[in-house]
Amino acid sequence: MTNERLRATMAAGGWTHATLAEATGVDPKSVERWVNLGRVPRRATAMKAAEALSEDVHALWPALRQARAARAVSPELVALYDQRADLPVSVFVDLIAQARERVDILVYAAVFLHEAYPRLNDLLRERAEDGCAVRIALGDADSENVQLRGSEEKFGHGIESRCRLALMHYRPLLGVPGIELRTHGTTLYNSLYRADDQVLVNAHVWGVNAYGAPVWHLRRNADGGIFDTYAESFNAVWATATTVKEG
């Protein structure tokens, strides 16, 4: 199977098999096999190629992401990542894009999503138009717990301003059928990004910014499992949250 993403990226940048081979220290036939046969290079070589092409290595070779990060310890655990910064934003976007029934987002701010993927609102609208129920719970910038988190992470008032920025990003979705937006003041033990029976859990660590804390990718396996624990946690927070009104 051809690697169309790699082929298109090379074409856009004027790269040939020979020039990319020279940049990565491999034989041109190896590059040809990457493109035409869908072969996956070794991680170190893939990183060199991605850097030369100015592209995300996981976008060019998605198989590298799972092969490195997954550690099977539970039927529900798909992958475990050392820190959120290890995940390209495409992991979050692809998860949401696959949703057919429900998208739930529980965060304080998570503005990295809009910053790295400006079409996020469009994607959420598309999911809602296709019948998904979309619920987004953001941190209340004036709440005691949000302000305490800023102090714990030595982020000062930055977390509060990011909560307000996140709300500004999502405000255009107010009034869109199928999408609900609320703010909450709960202690955020985990940020949750759910799409149907899958969820990315960004487990928070005292004194560590969210991007430096681990993430596990879960897929629901049976009633009462780990996935359901987080789903119920979201529902409990949602019940305490305040609806954001238009205007």
Side-chain angles (χ1 to χ4, degrees):
M1 182 181 294
T2 60
N3 187 331
E4 293 298 337
R5 181 64 176 263
L6 177 59
R7 185 196 300 278
T9 301
M10 290 177 62
W15 291 85
T16 65
H17 295 162
T19 56
L20 186 57
E22 181 178 359
T24 54
V26 300
D27 188 275
K29 288 186 177 180
S30 294
V31 178
E32 183 178 358
R33 286 191 285 269
W34 299 347
V35 176
N36 296 329
L37 300 180
R39 297 284 177 82
V40 180
R42 292 183 178 181
R43 178 171 293 275
T45 303
M47 293 292 289
K48 288 182 181 179
E51 183 177 0
L53 296 170
S54 299
E55 179 58 278
D56 182 348
V57 67
H58 298 106
L60 295 174
W61 294 286
L64 289 174
R65 182 175 64 223
Q66 287 255 350
R68 182 186 185 190
R71 302 170 188 167
V73 296
S74 163
E76 293 190 278
L77 184 62
V78 177
L80 174 64
Y81 303 89
D82 293 340
Q83 53 185 6
R84 195 193 73 196
D86 290 338
L87 282 75
V89 74
S90 59
V91 173
F92 297 87
V93 172
D94 291 347
L95 188 74
I96 294 172
Q98 294 171 24
R100 294 296 176 267
E101 297 180 359
R102 177 170 300 285
V103 171
D104 288 335
I105 298 175
L106 171 63
V107 296
Y108 271 166
V111 294
F112 75 94
L113 288 175
H114 278 98
E115 290 172 346
Y117 188 70
R119 285 198 67 255
L120 181 63
N121 282 3
D122 293 333
L123 176 59
L124 293 172
R125 285 193 190 93
E126 291 167 5
R127 293 296 83 234
E129 289 172 359
D130 285 344
C132 276
V134 178
R135 298 185 295 178
I136 304 163
L138 305 175
D140 178 352
D142 296 320
S143 70
E144 180 180 348
N145 281 319
V146 166
Q147 294 170 9
L148 180 61
R149 177 62 59 85
S151 174
E152 292 171 348
E153 295 182 357
K154 298 180 176 58
F155 205 41
H157 297 293
I159 185 65
E160 298 163 38
S161 62
R162 291 177 79 80
C163 285
R164 292 189 174 92
L165 179 59
L167 183 58
M168 182 188 74
H169 281 313
Y170 284 108
R171 269 196 177 278
L173 296 176
L174 291 176
V176 175
I179 298 180
E180 295 182 79
L181 179 61
R182 297 184 183 183
T183 58
H184 69 96
T186 65
T187 300
L188 191 67
Y189 297 105
N190 303 279
S191 292
L192 304 177
Y193 308 86
R194 175 188 176 182
D196 294 339
D197 284 347
Q198 297 188 70
V199 63
L200 293 169
V201 181
N202 187 187
H204 297 300
V205 180
W206 196 95
V208 177
N209 292 116
Y211 65 79
V215 173
W216 39 86
H217 179 179
L218 302 174
R219 180 182 290 113
R220 190 173 186 272
N221 181 261
D223 291 341
I226 304 174
F227 176 92
D228 284 351
T229 298
Y230 287 109
E232 290 166 7
S233 174
F234 179 95
N235 290 334
V237 173
W238 189 254
T240 72
T242 302
T243 300
V244 177
K245 297 180 181 179
E246 297 183 62

